[in-house]
Amino acid sequence: MPFLEFIAGSISGAVGLAVGHPLDTVKVRLQAQSAYKGILHCVTKTYAHEGLHGFFKGMAFPVLTTGLTNSIVFGSYSNVLDYLTQSQRSDRSEGKPASAAQVFTAGCFSGLVQVSVCAPIDLVKVRLQGQTTADRYRGPLHCLTVILKEEGPRGLFRGGLALALRDVPCYGLYFLPYEVTRKALTESGQQPGTFAILMAGGVAGVVTWAFATPMDVVKARLQMSGAGGREYSGVLHCMRVSVREEGVRVFFKGLLLNSLRAFPVNAVTFLSYETLMKIFCPPTR
């Protein structure tokens, strides 16, 4: 049933986030701040000043809410794909696959829905990860309160355009390499095994972040600009200033980290999702 896909997406998203959050914290700091010379410098400085806890800043809030985010992504994708193909998940797994255009369209739609609901969640996560002390935000609820007080309701959607420019096309790309890779690693007439799902999920994550990283840098900078960071008037202004001061390479800050994090996180996420869907909706024999 449609709602089961939302439940499976919720649980699998929380599992994947727990795996990748420490690297995500390092990525956010590299992108939003210029105080670090590279990955190792950021890791050692974070550990020296904040200990192991520093890598898990901002995790409680997204763990509690990432279920909502992933639920929207996987649930919207699967249900829109059912509509576009006029078929069910079980039909597609038994030799009636969706076309690449249908997969891409369903993925883009899931990204659009996710952005409209989850932009404030992402903003709070980035703000908490980006602060090196607890002087400004004491936690997620305090962060939300401060943003509303200082910036108003619109402040909750700071960086929202950059988030949409990142997520709408990239969620189309996210599901496409997954479907292609999983099919390539599965024998005709057989159900995909654990290895095929893990590899397909990992490849999907790496491919997606290769395209998403430039706009991810812009998004992080816009989101941090209301928390003591440099002020930008919008997406284009942020891009112009960043290129002028740091060169084109600035848009690839965190790419290596994104790729290293994306493979295990998305491999685990997709495996969890597919496993739960098999439990919820056992394949007919």
Side-chain angles (χ1 to χ4, degrees), residues 108-167:
C108 288
F109 181 82
S110 71
L112 179 62
V113 176
Q114 186 266 153
V115 167
S116 64
V117 175
C118 301
I121 295 172
D122 189 69
L123 175 66
V124 171
K125 177 185 77 71
V126 169
R127 291 278 179 94
L128 290 173
Q129 287 177 314
Q131 69 173 6
T132 55
T133 67
D135 293 341
R136 184 169 178 81
Y137 306 119
R138 295 191 295 269
L141 291 178
H142 182 244
C143 182
L144 277 170
T145 303
V146 171
I147 292 171
L148 283 170
K149 182 180 179 181
E150 295 182 352
E151 305 172 56
R154 287 184 60 188
L156 293 175
F157 292 88
R158 183 183 288 270
L161 176 58
L163 184 65
L165 291 172
R166 185 195 73 174
D167 282 359

Side-chain angles (χ1 to χ4, degrees), residues 58-79:
M59 180 172 161
F61 187 60
V63 160
L64 293 173
T65 56
T66 198
L68 171 65
T69 305
N70 232 55
S71 171
I72 291 169
V73 169
F74 278 86
S76 299
Y77 168 76
S78 187
N79 283 280

Side-chain angles (χ1 to χ4, degrees), residues 159-181:
L161 176 58
L163 184 65
L165 291 172
R166 185 195 73 174
D167 282 359
V168 173
C170 285
Y171 270 112
L173 291 172
Y174 182 53
F175 288 101
L176 193 55
Y178 173 73
E179 298 287 356
V180 170
T181 305

Side-chain angles (χ1 to χ4, degrees), residues 11-33:
I11 298 171
S12 64
V15 173
L17 185 137
V19 171
H21 193 80
L23 282 176
D24 188 54
T25 297
V26 176
K27 183 261 303 184
V28 167
R29 293 187 175 190
L30 282 172
Q31 289 179 336
Q33 302 173 25

